[in-house]
């Protein structure tokens, strides 16, 4: 255990001249906090359901968007069935709202400073079953889930396995949330992954050849 833990002389800090800057810094915004904030907006739920108003998308073999694909429709169907079972299981749930999300993740970074070797990495989460014009807009369809500064190893394992994946497991099973007297049943499926190879090595315990 570091003798100077909690002081400016802790060996886990970059310098010992009193600035107190950590070797590694990790900031994480929970998915449930993000979703609860979105549910407080007036048009989030109606935007999630835009697909149901596209009559052409109901035609067999018609494909104009990611949402028309078999994988997405399969997950949405499973989540809708689970919501109906959950809603009918108790009387107080009969007026609940379904919140079923199709997600993607993006993790990459870069060298910000010429004189330092510390890298800066971001984890972005995107809601794919929003209208196409919303999906790529920061703060509307794409959100910053984590910021990490430091070398690849234990911190990224903690970020993905102990934080991000644990929330995804919870959302895979479904969770109940009550906001302003309104009850929601929230589910999510992560179907698209865009991850930096070097960053992923520490998480899956593999080493690339590049």
């Amino acid at each position: 255990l570091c003798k100077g833990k909690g002081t400016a002389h802790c060996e886990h800090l970059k310098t010992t001249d009193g600035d107190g800057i950590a070797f590694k810094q990790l900031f994480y915004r929970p998915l449930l906090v993000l979703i609860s904030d979105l549910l407080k907006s007036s048009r989030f739920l109606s935007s999630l359901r835009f697909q149901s108003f596209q009559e052409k998308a109901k035609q067999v073999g018609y494909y104009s968007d990611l949402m028309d694909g078999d994988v997405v429709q399969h997950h949405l169907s499973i989540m809708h069935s689970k919501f109906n079972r959950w809603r009918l299981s108790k009387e107080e749930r009969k007026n609940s709202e379904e919140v079923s999300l199709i997600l993607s993740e993006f993790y990459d970074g870069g060298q910000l400073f010429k004189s330092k070797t510390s890298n800066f990495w971001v984890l972005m989460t995107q809601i794919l079953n929003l209208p196409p014009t919303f999906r790529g807009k920061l703060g509307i369809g794409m959100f910053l889930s984590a910021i990490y500064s430091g070398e690849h190893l234990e911190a990224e394992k903690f970020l993905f396995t102990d934080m991000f994946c644990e929330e995804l497991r919870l959302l895979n099973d479904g969770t109940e949330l009550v906001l302003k007297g309104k009850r929601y049943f929230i589910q999510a499926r992560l179907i698209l992954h865009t991850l930096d190879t070097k960053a992923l090595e520490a998480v899956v315990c593999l080493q690339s050849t590049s």
Side-chain angles (χ1 to χ4, degrees), residues 163-175:
M163 299 175 75
F164 194 59
C165 287
E166 283 301 313
E167 281 203 282
L168 290 173
R169 290 188 185 98
L170 174 67
L171 293 172
N172 183 75
D173 295 333
T175 186

Side-chain angles (χ1 to χ4, degrees), residues 12 24 29 31-32 36-37 48 50 53 57 63 112 117 122 131 141 145 147 155-156 165 188 192:
H12 298 94
K24 297 180 180 181
R29 186 187 187 193
L31 291 174
L32 279 176
S36 65
D37 287 343
L48 276 181
F50 84 102
F53 298 102
Y63 194 108
L112 295 183
T117 58
V122 294
S145 292
I147 301 176
E156 281 170 323
C165 287
L192 181 61

